[in-house]
Amino acid sequence: NDKRFVHVDPTYFLEAVLNLLDNAMVHAEGTETVTLATEILPGGRVAIDVLDEGPGMDATLREAVGEPFMPGRAVHDGIRQAGLGLFIVKRFADAHGGQLRLDNRDQGGLRARMDLPLVAAPR
């Protein structure tokens, strides 16, 4: 019984995941599918992936993900997005020993991956 867990505040974890989903839906507007997936990674980590079918993200913007108010290209309901969503996710991941990585997918779209360390079950 080798159960492993992610030790996080559930409210902040939910906010991080919702920000990943919101980012995908806003920037990939007009696509039909946004996918949320998880994967256990080598080294005792878990990945939370949000995959979209949009245009992907320019390398310069992907590198600026750690900056607050990063320049966005999306306008949602007539309002330009502030650019805080991915900054919040990155700060959450960093604070929990994880990381945020953004990669353009070969078939189009973006994969936003937040990975976090797994810990042993409490006794």
Side-chain angles (χ1 to χ4, degrees), residues 3-84:
K3 291 188 179 181
R4 308 270 307 238
F5 296 87
V6 176
H7 184 71
V8 295
D9 180 297
T11 301
Y12 293 121
F13 176 75
L14 179 60
E15 182 178 353
V17 172
L18 289 175
N19 273 309
L20 289 175
L21 290 167
D22 183 64
N23 186 73
M25 290 184 291
V26 168
H27 290 281
E29 195 168 353
T31 64
E32 295 187 19
T33 304
V34 172
T35 303
L36 175 67
T38 60
E39 178 182 355
I40 302 298
L41 302 172
R45 301 181 76 76
V46 62
I48 296 95
D49 289 339
V50 174
L51 306 116
D52 68 51
E53 298 174 348
M57 184 182 277
D58 179 84
T60 304
L61 289 177
R62 289 195 317 265
E63 291 171 14
V65 71
E67 301 297 322
F69 305 107
M70 64 181 261
R73 65 184 183 288
V75 176
H76 187 64
D77 292 334
I79 301 170
R80 181 164 293 282
Q81 299 298 296
L84 282 175

Side-chain angles (χ1 to χ4, degrees), residues 12-13 15-17 19-20 61-68 70 83-102 112-116:
Y12 293 121
F13 176 75
E15 182 178 353
V17 172
N19 273 309
L20 289 175
L61 289 177
R62 289 195 317 265
E63 291 171 14
V65 71
E67 301 297 322
M70 64 181 261
L84 282 175
L86 293 177
F87 172 72
I88 291 169
V89 175
K90 181 166 179 8
R91 293 290 300 254
F92 171 84
D94 289 348
H96 290 86
Q99 63 182 357
L100 174 64
R101 182 175 170 156
L102 306 173
R113 170 171 278 190
M114 175 176 60
D115 79 66
L116 299 167

